[in-house]
Amino acid sequence: MTENTTPPVQDEDRESSRGRSTTYALWGVQGLLALLFLLVGGMKLIQSSEMVTAQSPVALPVLFVRFIGVAEVLGALGLVLPSVTGIRQNLTPLAATGLVIIMCGATVLTLVSGAVAPAIFPLVVGLLAAFVAYGHWNVISNS
């Protein structure tokens, strides 16, 4: 009978590799969401009023759409800047939570317009933002 010479995997090793993979997933999702919200929010800010109202599934005031654009751009910056700079890192889950609220509204407005399939996109984006918020709150509470 041969003896097993490899040491058993320690629970700490599993937890640290799981923690690293979660951190990488958080950073990946944060980066993608930041790019998405910078693009979408920026477009709401630079497009003409006619284009903004034409793209909305439900008629919304232009100033409200511009406000949502500002909130999306600030949310995108809030997803990455605190972690990159190391300053006020507790703002990242708050920014993600704000984006979840925006995506809840976008999902409801899309459903109200009668378009069920297109409502899946803001729903998924909102769930990804919720993943970032939850993940960062766990990081903050475990520190």
Side-chain angles (χ1 to χ4, degrees):
M1 197 186 289
T2 61
E3 207 172 299
N4 189 358
T5 58
T6 58
V9 177
Q10 300 294 324
D11 287 338
E12 291 175 5
D13 292 339
R14 278 194 201 124
E15 287 181 21
S16 67
S17 67
R18 194 176 304 145
R20 269 186 259 127
S21 63
T22 302
T23 301
Y24 293 145
L26 277 172
W27 268 106
V29 172
Q30 276 178 253
L32 289 174
L33 287 176
L35 288 173
L36 174 72
F37 282 109
L38 275 175
L39 176 70
V40 172
M43 293 302 291
K44 287 176 182 159
L45 295 175
I46 64 172
Q47 286 180 337
S48 67
S49 299
E50 295 80 24
M51 288 183 74
V52 168
T53 55
Q55 292 176 352
S56 179
V58 176
L60 296 171
V62 174
L63 285 177
F64 181 69
V65 175
R66 302 259 193 242
F67 169 74
I68 295 295
V70 169
E72 288 174 344
V73 169
L74 291 175
L77 294 175
L79 285 177
V80 293
L81 286 181
S83 297
V84 168
T85 62
I87 301 170
R88 307 270 306 181
Q89 293 182 10
N90 58 338
L91 293 179
T92 298
L94 293 176
T97 303
L99 294 173
V100 168
I101 293 168
I102 291 172
M103 288 295 97
C104 287
T107 303
V108 168
L109 283 177
T110 307
L111 287 172
V112 165
S113 71
V116 176
I120 294 171
F121 183 74
L123 177 67
V124 169
V125 171
L127 290 173
L128 289 173
F131 166 72
V132 170
Y134 179 76
H136 275 283
W137 265 314
N138 277 345
V139 168
I140 289 170
S141 65
N142 292 334
S143 309

